[in-house]
Amino acid sequence: MDEDAFLVALQALRADRVQGASELARQGLGILAESALGMAAGDVPELCRQLRARAGQLRQARPSMSPLEHLMQCWSEGLEEVASEDDLAVARRIAAERATELVERSRQAVAGVVAVAAAAIGAGKTLLTHSLSSTVVGVLRALAGQGVRVILSESRPLNEGYRLARLLSELGVPSRLITDAQIGLAVAEADLVLVGADSLFPDGSLVNKVGTYLLALAAHDQGVPFWVCCERFKHRADPLLPQQLERMDPAELGAPALPGVQIENPYFDITPSRLISAWIDELGVRRAAP
Amino acid sequence: MDEDAFLVALQALRADRVQGASELARQGLGILAESALGMAAGDVPELCRQLRARAGQLRQARPSMSPLEHLMQCWSEGLEEVASEDDLAVARRIAAERATELVERSRQAVAGVVAVAAAAIGAGKTLLTHSLSSTVVGVLRALAGQGVRVILSESRPLNEGYRLARLLSELGVPSRLITDAQIGLAVAEADLVLVGADSLFPDGSLVNKVGTYLLALAAHDQGVPFWVCCERFKHRADPLLPQQLERMDPAELGAPALPGVQIENPYFDITPSRLISAWIDELGVRRAAP
């Protein structure tokens, strides 16, 4: 993968509104594997230097998404081993294999979260979710034959709730689609709120699609449990975000352009841990913030 | 106004998504004035009986909107005086005049609320509002030359926030348009939340466009004052709603129709009085629930 192709792939990852944080992180690892095998480099030190630079750029592409940061960092640390190789071809192969292994670890971690969450939730429940989390989709798939019902929000501006509705329809899981503004009305009808995460802070606070905070407030106000499920690659070590939460193109709102009317499009909000009832990861269910 | 024309007007009032509760109540009075002058009736008792029946139908047309109920009731009570008339033409004229007088009282009440609210808010504030309230528009118009700034939500499904954005643009009031899901992020930037009402319950709880409850939760959570402004015709005597809060056509969401995916379109939610910091009506500002 030459520099031009890398920059195209990096830009696509920045602009992606369809895939979640874990999927994008795995996509980043795929880019690194291709880079390791195919980028121009005269010797092993040059290869490692350039791969580290690419991993750094990928890591910063989506600052609200922890898995990207974690997996890029894990992979960069593995380059120590690659750097000790003399043979450039072998070094390329090892670097690519490390990326593929991390992709597999990420997939297994998500599968672990899904298994833990599905067991903890059990049969016959009505779940309310916001946005489209591939981990939550995994849980709903696991519970599809067990009488699960889902209430889901549109999730403006791009309405990824519509895609979730389509998935549930295909799975035969009965669902109800609501506007984001109707979350406060609908939460009382749910046994449980279940959302995924883009990142979890060390204190348990959650970075997720904008609107999650409002959902958590309503669930808390009405005594409905609010659970977040994500693999440990989404846990952040740093209590501070590296930069402000991402903002996307204001044109996504589809609102009229008018003099004096500003439009912004922040994509994420932060749900404080005091509003969260349980945190689920591949190791189990945690009922209290750390 | 004959029976067919009345039914058309009644249906239009039921289907109206553009005008607010006070405007629709005044429209109902206009229908009664026309009915009084033009409907078929052989004598005064028959006229009064039929007018009472029409007032009753109008009253029930929009159960979430108190002004309609109040003004229809006020006007029906005034029919006692009409019933004591011998002359049918005089009775028609008096009944129509009573309707016109009530329209004027409603207008004056809203103007009173606007004056009280604008004085209480004062210059240089950033207000956040949800949906499109003609009373809030009046307040913003009154504060337009005084450095007011507005953050406003789209208010799905029909995005009446876009109409408010256009009005503010024409008034030269700087504004920022957000999605309903972004309310929780934006509320911290406001000095004050200001919303109108469809109804106020005796305990101060508020019936308003769906999403208002989420806004109130976020404002409360972040210590931003939440004010509601409405004329006293919106105060309900009855602590219970006459029937469930209105639901509109699910097609308004514009979501795909999918097997097993239910769509509902409730238009209103209830904000408990514990989340409200101040109630403003034409008599003044109240800082505590009754």
Side-chain angles (χ1 to χ4, degrees):
Chain A
M1 184 178 263
D2 66 15
E3 187 64 15
D4 285 351
F6 173 73
L7 291 175
V8 167
L10 181 66
Q11 186 46 40
L13 197 141
R14 276 203 193 102
D16 195 310
R17 304 284 173 280
V18 174
Q19 295 182 93
S22 306
E23 292 157 311
L24 288 175
R26 292 195 291 267
Q27 192 172 310
L29 288 166
I31 293 169
L32 290 174
E34 279 191 60
S35 297
L37 295 175
M39 80 192 299
D43 55 24
V44 172
E46 191 192 346
L47 177 74
C48 288
R49 198 168 51 246
Q50 292 198 35
L51 286 174
R52 265 203 196 87
R54 287 195 178 180
Q57 285 177 276
L58 287 164
R59 185 178 163 170
Q60 288 162 24
R62 302 297 291 268
S64 308
M65 297 180 167
S66 284
L68 199 60
E69 190 179 353
H70 274 295
L71 291 169
M72 294 302 107
Q73 188 173 343
C74 267
W75 185 80
S76 295
E77 285 164 5
L79 285 179
E80 301 295 330
E81 185 196 342
V82 176
S84 66
E85 279 296 328
D86 293 327
D87 186 313
L88 182 59
V90 173
R92 286 183 186 277
R93 190 174 46 74
I94 295 175
E97 280 172 5
R98 290 288 172 276
T100 311
E101 285 161 19
L102 279 174
V103 166
E104 192 46 36
R105 277 180 57 195
S106 161
R107 287 224 172 86
Q108 284 173 1
V110 173
V113 176
V114 164
V116 171
I121 293 165
K125 295 293 198 301
T126 297
L127 306 183
L128 193 156
T129 193
H130 179 59
S131 188
L132 173 56
S133 150
S134 57
T135 313
V136 170
V137 168
V139 175
L140 297 175
R141 205 182 285 277
L143 293 172
Q146 300 180 49
V148 70
R149 303 178 62 88
V150 182
I151 303 170
L152 67 154
S153 56
E154 295 180 321
S155 202
R156 288 271 295 146
L158 293 187
N159 295 324
E160 57 264 27
Y162 293 1
R163 281 191 289 127
L164 179 55
R166 197 172 296 278
L167 275 166
L168 293 172
S169 179
E170 288 162 10
L171 287 172
V173 171
S175 70
R176 182 146 64 84
L177 182 66
I178 60 174
T179 64
D180 301 334
Q182 291 164 0
I183 279 174
L185 276 177
V187 77
E189 296 164 47
D191 297 306
L192 188 76
V193 173
L194 184 74
V195 296
D198 288 280
S199 290
L200 269 189
F201 283 101
D203 74 345
S205 297
L206 164 67
V207 179
N208 199 40
K209 179 72 190 285
V210 67
T212 303
Y213 164 58
L214 294 173
L215 170 55
L217 283 170
H220 190 259
D221 193 54
Q222 296 178 50
V224 177
F226 181 99
W227 290 12
V228 53
C229 61
C230 67
E231 75 275 23
R232 296 173 72 84
F233 285 123
K234 285 181 173 164
H235 293 196
R236 291 178 54 79
D238 188 343
L240 297 174
L241 272 182
Q243 41 178 281
Q244 75 166 6
L245 294 172
E246 293 167 52
R247 285 160 186 268
M248 304 303 178
D249 184 356
E252 285 184 359
L253 268 69
L258 297 163
V261 181
Q262 187 191 357
I263 301 179
E264 287 177 9
N265 190 12
Y267 247 57
F268 301 96
D269 62 23
I270 297 179
T271 300
S273 62
R274 64 186 151 83
L275 301 175
I276 301 174
S277 336
W279 293 257
I280 299 177
D281 63 35
E282 59 271 40
L283 300 185
V285 179
R286 192 154 47 89
R287 294 281 182 174
Chain B
M1 182 178 264
D2 66 16
E3 187 67 14
D4 285 350
F6 172 73
L7 291 175
V8 167
L10 181 67
Q11 187 45 40
L13 195 142
R14 276 203 193 102
D16 195 310
R17 303 284 174 279
V18 175
Q19 295 182 91
S22 308
E23 292 157 313
L24 287 176
R26 293 193 291 265
Q27 190 173 311
L29 289 166
I31 293 169
L32 290 174
E34 278 191 60
S35 297
L37 294 174
M39 81 193 297
D43 55 23
V44 172
E46 190 192 345
L47 176 73
C48 287
R49 198 166 52 245
Q50 292 200 35
L51 286 174
R52 264 202 196 87
R54 287 195 175 179
Q57 284 177 275
L58 287 164
R59 185 178 163 170
Q60 289 162 22
R62 301 298 291 270
S64 308
M65 297 180 168
S66 283
L68 198 62
E69 191 179 352
H70 273 295
L71 290 169
M72 294 302 107
Q73 189 173 343
C74 267
W75 186 81
S76 296
E77 285 164 5
L79 285 178
E80 303 293 330
E81 186 197 340
V82 176
S84 67
E85 277 296 327
D86 294 327
D87 186 315
L88 182 60
V90 172
R92 286 182 185 278
R93 189 173 48 74
I94 295 174
E97 280 173 6
R98 289 289 171 275
T100 312
E101 285 162 20
L102 280 173
V103 166
E104 190 47 36
R105 276 180 58 194
S106 161
R107 288 226 171 84
Q108 284 173 1
V110 173
V113 176
V114 165
V116 171
I121 293 165
K125 295 292 198 301
T126 297
L127 306 183
L128 193 158
T129 193
H130 179 59
S131 185
L132 173 57
S133 149
S134 58
T135 313
V136 170
V137 168
V139 175
L140 297 175
R141 205 182 284 277
L143 293 172
Q146 300 180 48
V148 70
R149 302 179 63 87
V150 182
I151 303 170
L152 68 154
S153 56
E154 296 178 323
S155 201
R156 286 272 295 149
L158 292 188
N159 295 323
E160 57 264 28
Y162 293 1
R163 282 191 289 126
L164 179 56
R166 197 172 295 279
L167 273 166
L168 293 172
S169 180
E170 288 163 8
L171 287 172
V173 171
S175 70
R176 183 146 64 86
L177 183 66
I178 60 174
T179 64
D180 301 336
Q182 291 163 359
I183 279 174
L185 278 177
V187 77
E189 296 164 47
D191 297 306
L192 186 77
V193 172
L194 185 72
V195 296
D198 288 280
S199 290
L200 269 189
F201 282 101
D203 74 345
S205 296
L206 163 67
V207 178
N208 200 41
K209 179 72 190 282
V210 67
T212 303
Y213 164 58
L214 294 173
L215 171 56
L217 282 170
H220 189 260
D221 194 53
Q222 297 179 47
V224 177
F226 181 100
W227 290 12
V228 51
C229 61
C230 68
E231 75 275 23
R232 298 174 71 84
F233 285 123
K234 284 180 172 163
H235 294 197
R236 291 178 53 82
D238 188 344
L240 298 174
L241 272 183
Q243 40 178 283
Q244 75 168 2
L245 294 172
E246 294 167 49
R247 285 160 187 269
M248 305 303 178
D249 185 356
E252 286 183 359
L253 266 69
L258 296 164
V261 181
Q262 187 192 357
I263 301 178
E264 288 177 8
N265 189 12
Y267 246 57
F268 301 96
D269 63 23
I270 297 179
T271 300
S273 62
R274 66 186 150 81
L275 301 175
I276 301 174
S277 336
W279 293 258
I280 299 176
D281 63 35
E282 59 270 42
L283 301 184
V285 179
R286 195 156 45 93
R287 294 281 180 174

